[in-house]
Amino acid sequence: MRHVERTERVVVLALDGVYPFELGIPSRILGAADGRYEVLTCSVDGRPVRSNADFTIGVEHGPEILAGAGTVVITPVSPERMPAELPEEVREALAYVRPEARIVSICTGAFVLAAAGLLDGRRATTHWQLAGRFRSMFPHIDLDPDVLFVDDDRILTSAGAASGVDVCLHLVRKDHGSELANAVARRCVVPPFRDGGQAQYIEQPVPEQGAASTAGTRAWALERLDEPLTLADLAAHARMSLRTFARRFNDEVGMSPGRWLIQQRVARARHLLESSDLAVDQIAGRVGFATGASLRQHLHAAIGVSPQVYRRTFQTAAR
């Protein structure tokens, strides 16, 4: 994690077959961050690229501008264009990227990074529907298809479509703190942080007509994170049996109630670490962890750092 004191150049590489929506995400999100980022778009040869829609996209730059990028974004392409080996022109374009540059992929952009060897020895993600194909092509990469994005030092990978918004907001939060990231989210009318992971979007059997939802119980639980909530408490509030509630919750959210509660408590703790000077033990109590040690354990499992390091990073970025 790092503090950015000047405008950072972000270069988006558009490849043939690019998805237009995802191509525009970096400019829309990072461009709303009060001038902290300059977002430029290039192609491998400076020429227009064919989108996966019925139009071609003109770009103003060739690959040489990648040499000046602090962050490079690889946008997704149609599945039939995903390479097991990089086309020579793509490899030559990526050769312009500086070794210290941060690299971000959206959706199938992870296939490009994998084919380039940039994900070797790293954890990564891509769209859940393509997880099997990714693993068969790149079995040596630690793929996690359940999450919306993965931040592995200077390489970030994200899942399908809107997860490009999530990872770009994460960049703003990481570079400049949660206050600016939240402001960007409000300007773009998107949630600053989405609950859950990709699992909630995987195709599930359609619930029986009239089946009760767990949404009301989730909202109820979020107002009581400081309490020792159990599965029985949640099921009782939803007026369901334990088995029915657990099954329906997993169908709707993509994870167990217990895992979801931990995720929400960690998210609330992160907010308090960013926005308050409360001691770690006090924050633990406010979000429902029994001790500060428990908070440290769960925060480290979620993002790989201690509360002190997390607070120092984000409060420094905010300043």
Side-chain angles (χ1 to χ4, degrees), residues 8 55 104 147 149 190 203 224 231 314:
E8 176 166 350
F55 54 86
V104 182
V147 297
F149 62 85
V190 295
E203 294 172 359
R224 295 165 175 79
L231 178 59
F314 282 92

Side-chain angles (χ1 to χ4, degrees), residues 278-299:
L278 292 171
V280 172
D281 285 345
Q282 290 176 297
I283 292 175
R286 290 196 180 194
V287 304
F289 289 123
T291 64
S294 180
L295 169 56
R296 291 183 183 92
Q297 176 186 350
H298 287 296
L299 186 69

